[in-house]
Amino acid sequence: PLRRTNLLDPDDDTLSTSYRSEDFKIYFYEQTLDHFNYNPQSYTKFKQIYVINYKYWGGARSNSPIFAYLGAESPLVGDIPAIGFLTDNAPRFKALLVYIEHRFYGNSIPLGTMEKAMENETIRGYFNSAQALADYAEVLLHVKDKLSAHNSPVIVIGGSYGGMLASWFRLKYPHIALGALASSAPILYFDDITPQNGYYSRVTKDFKEASEHCYRTIRKSWSEIDRVASKPNGLSILSQKFKTCSHLNSSSELKDYLDSIYSSAAQYNYPPDYPVTQVCSGINKADKGSDILGRIFAGVISYNGNRSCYDTLVYSRPTETMVGWSWQTCSEMVMPIGRGSNDTMFPASPFILGDFIKSCKSTYGVSPRPHWITTYYGGHDIKLVLQRFASNIIFSNGLMDPYSSAGVLENLSSNLLAVYTVKGSHCLDILPAQKSDPWWLVAQRKNEVEIIEGWIKKYYADLLAIRNEKDD
């Protein structure tokens, strides 16, 4: 499900307009292909995009802070206007805003295109989180040097996979980042730390809390789909019933489509529309006499709008994000998301590591490393470990987000803080503030801003004390 973490659609024209506004200046950094080796190929360069907004910055002389957004598994173009936390709070902090694209996405791809990069087994090997963090470190030091902003504190911000990167960046590069805001970061969805069914259990809970009748209807629908599909011309019947744009190839195609709708609705259950409520409203208000599948289709219409047909393959087409994330999960980002029989409202679909390894090896010729993330970044016994040396990380979550099941939901120390809302959803706190925002969302953001303000004030006090010592 992480493949759906794009906060907005990068093909939306309004995004490119905002991205290219005069406030945002686009730069290309000659990035090092391999930060951790010294063979000749390691020195190969590729162009990495970063974007700066100078509008609010107080300047290097006043040591005004730098807010750095760490791009994740999608082109940067879609995220810049979507991450309102930076532009909303830049005036208060007089902050410089820096946005850095993740290697192998958008316009920051070695060899120029994702297709060429993914076909090259050697180049593909440099596509991992550790290299991405080193990229961010190089770009941020370059920006600070270019602007003579050596004493400007840096706060890194990211959402979802980007939230994981932000927290890991603070752990790995504390000399560069003063603090991190890690929004909806499922850093505990590795190894056996979080139960496999954590994600889908939360989706189920969201629907059950919205409507018991809706939840029961969805739960019963899967066997009904299989029953109809098993009839002569069963797939044709289902294709007609769900007005699919093309004839269904299997009942699994329809079930995967519905799975994606329910998961997306729960993950992005944003106010004021609340997609889970939208789906359930359609199901519950279906025409009298509608059978189970008729009610399910009414939920599809309520969620997607009334269309001439519905594209059941829309979630499975190989976008750049899906292609890149498929490699990342088949190498290091092994997140064992699954569900058993009768433990969610979905049919059983357990994560079986052996099968996953076979599939990845067949596709890429290499086996995933399921324990590497916890080896490199940690995760087990996180409270016991991180409180000993880590600091200045906000782990923010909305508990309606299925990924909150693998988030940090309690304070680990006095400055490793969990900030969450009961009704919040995926990355909601870092999206642009709206006048219609509910009070609990306003309060969450206010809390996060005050924590960051405290970090920066303490940094300035420490900086002043060091200067006074030198003068003495």
Side-chain angles (χ1 to χ4, degrees):
L2 211 70
R3 68 179 183 269
R4 296 193 292 275
T5 56
N6 299 45
L7 298 174
L8 290 175
D9 179 3
D11 295 325
D12 189 330
D13 288 340
T14 59
L15 299 188
S16 57
T17 302
S18 175
Y19 177 72
R20 292 168 185 155
S21 77
E22 60 184 16
D23 294 334
F24 296 93
K25 307 298 182 187
I26 302 172
Y27 298 92
F28 292 90
Y29 180 72
E30 290 290 320
Q31 189 57 266
T32 306
L33 180 63
D34 180 9
H35 298 283
F36 305 109
N37 207 317
Y38 297 91
N39 62 44
Q41 184 168 303
S42 297
Y43 293 86
T44 302
K45 301 288 185 179
F46 69 95
K47 292 186 184 299
Q48 181 172 25
I49 274 191
Y50 67 98
V51 175
I52 297 181
N53 184 336
Y54 298 93
K55 182 177 180 179
Y56 311 100
W57 196 39
R61 287 189 177 183
S62 60
N63 299 321
S64 293
I66 297 170
F67 286 177
Y69 174 74
L70 306 186
E73 78 286 22
S74 61
L76 191 62
V77 61
D79 283 352
I80 287 179
I83 307 301
F85 189 90
L86 278 73
T87 47
D88 288 346
N89 293 295
R92 175 173 180 160
F93 289 90
K94 296 183 179 179
L96 181 76
L97 305 182
V98 180
Y99 305 79
I100 313 172
E101 190 163 66
H102 193 297
R103 60 167 52 202
F104 287 82
Y105 291 106
N107 291 291
S108 304
I109 305 177
L111 303 184
T113 67
M114 180 68 91
E115 186 178 10
K116 285 183 181 178
M118 295 306 291
E119 285 176 352
N120 188 308
E121 293 179 353
T122 301
I123 296 297
R124 195 172 66 206
Y126 302 113
F127 186 0
N128 59 65
S129 62
Q131 298 280 8
L133 293 182
D135 289 344
Y136 300 143
E138 275 207 18
V139 171
L140 286 170
L141 290 178
H142 168 72
V143 169
K144 292 185 78 172
D145 185 60
K146 188 173 71 169
L147 299 176
S148 299
H150 306 291
N151 291 322
S152 289
V154 175
I155 305 296
V156 292
I157 296 153
S160 199
Y161 166 52
M164 291 193 263
L165 294 174
S167 65
W168 294 336
F169 190 88
R170 169 62 184 163
L171 296 177
K172 295 294 184 182
Y173 297 93
H175 55 292
I176 298 176
L178 172 68
L181 170 56
S183 177
S184 298
I187 62 169
L188 303 179
Y189 227 138
F190 299 96
D191 277 357
D192 58 351
I193 302 172
T194 296
Q196 275 194 26
N197 67 0
Y199 183 94
Y200 284 102
S201 292
R202 183 63 245 195
V203 176
T204 300
K205 189 175 181 183
D206 287 350
F207 275 85
K208 195 170 185 179
E209 288 176 351
S211 166
E212 183 78 23
H213 177 262
C214 173
Y215 151 77
R216 290 183 182 279
T217 302
I218 293 170
R219 186 162 188 149
K220 290 176 184 175
S221 68
W222 310 109
S223 59
E224 182 64 10
I225 290 171
D226 287 336
R227 187 187 70 78
V228 173
S230 67
K231 290 181 177 183
N233 298 319
L235 291 179
S236 295
I237 295 170
L238 289 173
S239 298
Q240 291 173 0
K241 200 167 191 75
F242 283 86
K243 290 175 67 175
T244 62
C245 294
S246 57
H247 191 273
L248 289 169
N249 295 306
S250 65
S251 62
S252 296
E253 182 184 321
L254 177 60
K255 289 191 288 187
D256 288 347
Y257 173 64
L258 295 171
D259 177 323
S260 294
I261 286 176
Y262 304 144
S263 300
S264 295
Q267 188 166 316
Y268 301 105
N269 198 33
Y270 297 158
D273 296 329
Y274 294 106
V276 170
T277 302
Q278 280 185 322
V279 173
C280 284
S281 177
I283 289 173
N284 294 340
K285 294 178 181 177
D287 293 339
K288 276 192 173 183
S290 296
D291 60 10
I292 286 179
L293 297 188
R295 295 199 294 273
I296 292 296
F297 182 52
V300 172
I301 295 172
S302 184
Y303 180 75
N304 284 320
N306 201 347
R307 301 180 179 181
S308 58
C309 70
Y310 295 87
D311 182 4
T312 51
L313 299 175
V314 65
Y315 294 102
S316 56
R317 287 199 174 85
T319 63
E320 180 182 286
T321 289
M322 286 182 65
V323 170
W325 190 247
S326 174
W327 162 253
Q328 289 193 262
T329 54
C330 266
S331 49
E332 62 170 354
M333 301 295 295
V334 183
M335 303 175 74
I337 299 174
R339 67 243 177 180
S341 300
N342 299 318
D343 58 358
T344 71
M345 69 178 187
F346 297 88
S349 181
F351 178 89
I352 300 171
L353 181 59
D355 292 348
F356 183 72
I357 290 173
K358 286 179 185 175
S359 174
C360 291
K361 199 165 185 180
S362 172
T363 305
Y364 298 108
V366 296
S367 296
R369 298 179 183 175
H371 310 297
W372 176 244
I373 290 296
T374 51
T375 301
Y376 192 63
Y377 300 112
H380 290 284
D381 300 316
I382 191 168
K383 187 170 186 178
L384 180 65
V385 174
L386 290 193
Q387 68 177 340
R388 295 170 182 268
F389 73 93
S391 63
N392 293 5
I393 302 174
I394 299 169
F395 296 100
S396 67
N397 282 279
L399 297 189
M400 295 189 80
D401 173 18
Y403 279 117
S404 69
S405 61
V408 176
L409 301 179
E410 62 173 310
N411 295 343
L412 306 182
S413 70
S414 61
N415 47 26
L416 293 170
L417 303 171
V419 177
Y420 64 83
T421 54
V422 174
K423 295 182 180 180
S425 43
H426 200 63
C427 299
L428 182 57
D429 59 317
I430 60 173
L431 300 191
Q434 308 287 338
K435 288 183 179 178
S436 60
D437 286 338
W439 67 267
W440 46 264
L441 177 56
V442 174
Q444 181 184 25
R445 290 178 177 143
K446 183 173 181 287
N447 191 6
E448 292 166 4
V449 167
E450 289 174 351
I451 292 167
I452 292 170
E453 199 166 48
W455 295 343
I456 293 174
K457 282 183 178 177
K458 187 176 186 307
Y459 168 83
Y460 286 150
D462 291 344
L463 187 64
L464 181 62
I466 290 170
R467 283 177 173 174
N468 290 337
E469 282 179 14
K470 288 181 178 178
D471 291 341
D472 291 344

